Coordinates of all heavy atoms in Angstrom, one line a residue:
A373 N 5.2 -12.8 14.6 CA 5.7 -11.4 14.7 C 4.6 -10.5 15.0 O 4.7 -9.6 15.9 CB 6.4 -11.0 13.4
L374 N 3.4 -10.7 14.4 CA 2.3 -9.8 14.6 C 1.9 -9.9 16.1 O 1.5 -8.9 16.8 CB 1.1 -10.3 13.7 CG -0.1 -9.4 13.7 CD1 0.2 -8.0 13.1 CD2 -1.2 -10.1 12.8
L375 N 1.9 -11.1 16.6 CA 1.6 -11.4 18.0 C 2.5 -10.6 19.0 O 2.0 -10.0 19.9 CB 1.6 -12.9 18.3 CG 1.1 -13.4 19.6 CD1 0.7 -14.9 19.5 CD2 2.1 -13.3 20.7
V376 N 3.8 -10.6 18.8 CA 4.7 -10.0 19.7 C 4.5 -8.5 19.7 O 4.5 -7.8 20.7 CB 6.2 -10.4 19.4 CG1 7.1 -9.6 20.3 CG2 6.3 -11.9 19.6
Y377 N 4.4 -7.9 18.5 CA 4.2 -6.4 18.4 C 2.9 -6.0 19.0 O 2.8 -5.0 19.7 CB 4.3 -5.9 17.0 CG 5.7 -5.9 16.4 CD1 6.0 -6.6 15.3 CD2 6.7 -5.2 17.0 CE1 7.3 -6.6 14.8 CE2 8.0 -5.2 16.5 CZ 8.3 -5.9 15.4 OH 9.6 -5.9 14.9
Q378 N 1.9 -6.8 18.8 CA 0.6 -6.5 19.3 C 0.6 -6.7 20.9 O -0.2 -6.1 21.6 CB -0.5 -7.4 18.7 CG -1.9 -6.8 18.6 CD -2.0 -5.7 17.6 OE1 -1.0 -5.2 17.1 NE2 -3.2 -5.3 17.4
L379 N 1.5 -7.5 21.3 CA 1.6 -7.7 22.8 C 2.4 -6.5 23.4 O 2.1 -6.1 24.5 CB 2.4 -9.0 23.0 CG 2.5 -9.6 24.4 CD1 1.2 -10.2 24.8 CD2 3.6 -10.7 24.5
G380 N 3.3 -6.0 22.7 CA 4.2 -5.0 23.3 C 3.6 -3.6 23.4 O 3.7 -2.9 24.4
Q381 N 2.8 -3.2 22.4 CA 2.3 -1.8 22.4 C 1.4 -1.5 23.6 O 1.5 -0.5 24.2 CB 1.6 -1.5 21.1 CG 1.1 0.0 21.0 CD 0.7 0.4 19.6 OE1 1.4 0.0 18.7 NE2 -0.3 1.2 19.5
P382 N 0.4 -2.4 23.9 CA -0.5 -2.1 25.0 C 0.3 -1.9 26.3 O -0.1 -1.1 27.2 CB -1.4 -3.3 25.1 CG -1.4 -3.9 23.7 CD 0.0 -3.6 23.2
R383 N 1.4 -2.6 26.5 CA 2.2 -2.6 27.7 C 2.9 -1.2 27.8 O 3.2 -0.8 28.9 CB 3.1 -3.8 27.8 CG 2.3 -5.0 28.2 CD 2.8 -6.3 27.7 NE 2.0 -7.4 28.1 CZ 0.9 -7.8 27.6 NH1 0.4 -7.1 26.6 NH2 0.1 -8.8 28.1
I384 N 3.3 -0.6 26.7 CA 3.9 0.7 26.7 C 2.8 1.7 27.1 O 3.1 2.6 28.0 CB 4.5 1.0 25.4 CG1 5.7 0.1 25.1 CG2 5.0 2.5 25.4 CD1 6.3 0.3 23.7
W385 N 1.7 1.6 26.5 CA 0.6 2.5 26.9 C 0.2 2.3 28.4 O -0.1 3.3 29.1 CB -0.7 2.2 26.0 CG -0.5 2.8 24.7 CD1 0.5 3.5 24.2 CD2 -1.5 2.7 23.6 NE1 0.3 3.9 22.9 CE2 -0.9 3.4 22.5 CE3 -2.7 2.0 23.5 CZ2 -1.6 3.4 21.3 CZ3 -3.4 2.1 22.3 CH2 -2.8 2.8 21.2
M386 N 0.2 1.1 28.9 CA -0.1 0.8 30.3 C 0.8 1.6 31.2 O 0.4 2.2 32.2 CB -0.1 -0.7 30.5 CG -0.2 -1.1 32.0 SD 0.2 -2.8 32.2 CE 2.0 -2.7 32.1
T387 N 2.1 1.5 30.9 CA 3.1 2.2 31.7 C 3.0 3.7 31.6 O 3.1 4.4 32.7 CB 4.5 1.7 31.2 OG1 4.6 0.3 31.1 CG2 5.6 2.2 32.2
M388 N 2.8 4.2 30.5 CA 2.6 5.7 30.3 C 1.3 6.1 31.1 O 1.3 7.2 31.7 CB 2.5 6.1 28.9 CG 3.7 5.8 28.1 SD 3.6 6.1 26.3 CE 3.6 7.9 26.3
S389 N 0.3 5.3 31.0 CA -0.9 5.7 31.8 C -0.7 5.6 33.3 O -1.2 6.4 34.0 CB -2.0 4.7 31.4 OG -3.2 4.9 32.2
R390 N 0.1 4.6 33.7 CA 0.4 4.4 35.1 C 1.1 5.7 35.7 O 1.0 6.0 36.8 CB 1.2 3.2 35.4 CG 1.3 2.7 36.8 CD 1.9 1.3 36.9 NE 3.1 1.2 36.2 CZ 3.6 0.1 35.7 NH1 2.9 -1.0 35.7 NH2 4.8 0.1 35.1
D391 N 1.9 6.3 34.8 CA 2.6 7.5 35.2 C 1.8 8.8 35.1 O 2.3 9.9 35.4 CB 3.9 7.7 34.3 CG 4.9 6.6 34.6 OD1 5.0 6.0 35.7 OD2 5.7 6.3 33.6
G392 N 0.6 8.6 34.6 CA -0.3 9.8 34.5 C -0.3 10.5 33.2 O -1.0 11.5 33.0
L393 N 0.6 10.0 32.3 CA 0.8 10.8 31.0 C -0.3 10.4 30.0 O -0.5 11.1 29.0 CB 2.2 10.5 30.4 CG 3.3 10.8 31.3 CD1 4.7 10.6 30.6 CD2 3.2 12.2 31.9
L394 N -1.0 9.3 30.2 CA -2.2 8.9 29.3 C -3.3 8.7 30.2 O -3.2 8.5 31.5 CB -1.8 7.7 28.5 CG -0.9 7.9 27.3 CD1 -0.7 6.5 26.6 CD2 -1.5 8.8 26.3
W395 N -4.5 8.6 29.7 CA -5.7 8.4 30.4 C -5.7 7.1 31.2 O -5.2 6.1 30.8 CB -6.9 8.5 29.5 CG -7.1 9.8 28.8 CD1 -7.8 10.9 29.2 CD2 -6.4 10.2 27.6 NE1 -7.6 11.9 28.4 CE2 -6.8 11.5 27.4 CE3 -5.5 9.6 26.7 CZ2 -6.3 12.3 26.3 CZ3 -5.1 10.3 25.6 CH2 -5.5 11.6 25.4
P396 N -6.3 7.1 32.5 CA -6.2 6.0 33.4 C -6.7 4.7 32.8 O -6.2 3.6 33.2 CB -7.1 6.4 34.6 CG -7.1 7.9 34.5 CD -7.0 8.3 33.1
R397 N -7.6 4.7 31.9 CA -8.2 3.5 31.3 C -7.1 2.6 30.6 O -7.2 1.4 30.5 CB -9.3 3.8 30.3 CG -10.6 4.3 31.0 CD -11.8 4.0 30.1 NE -12.1 2.6 30.0 CZ -13.1 2.2 29.2 NH1 -13.8 3.0 28.5 NH2 -13.3 0.9 29.1
F398 N -6.1 3.3 30.1 CA -5.0 2.5 29.4 C -4.2 1.6 30.4 O -3.6 0.7 29.9 CB -4.1 3.5 28.7 CG -4.6 4.0 27.4 CD1 -5.3 5.3 27.4 CD2 -4.5 3.3 26.2 CE1 -5.8 5.8 26.2 CE2 -5.0 3.8 25.0 CZ -5.6 5.0 25.0
S399 N -4.3 1.9 31.7 CA -3.6 1.0 32.6 C -4.5 0.0 33.3 O -4.1 -0.7 34.2 CB -2.9 1.9 33.7 OG -3.8 2.7 34.4

Side-chain angles (χ1 to χ4, degrees):
L374 189 62
L375 188 154
V376 175
Y377 285 122
Q378 207 71 347
L379 193 71
Q381 183 167 322
R383 283 150 181 79
I384 294 174
W385 282 358
M386 174 191 73
T387 310
M388 296 176 73
S389 173
R390 191 167 59 205
D391 292 333
L393 303 185
L394 284 178
W395 295 270
R397 289 201 68 183
F398 282 95
S399 58

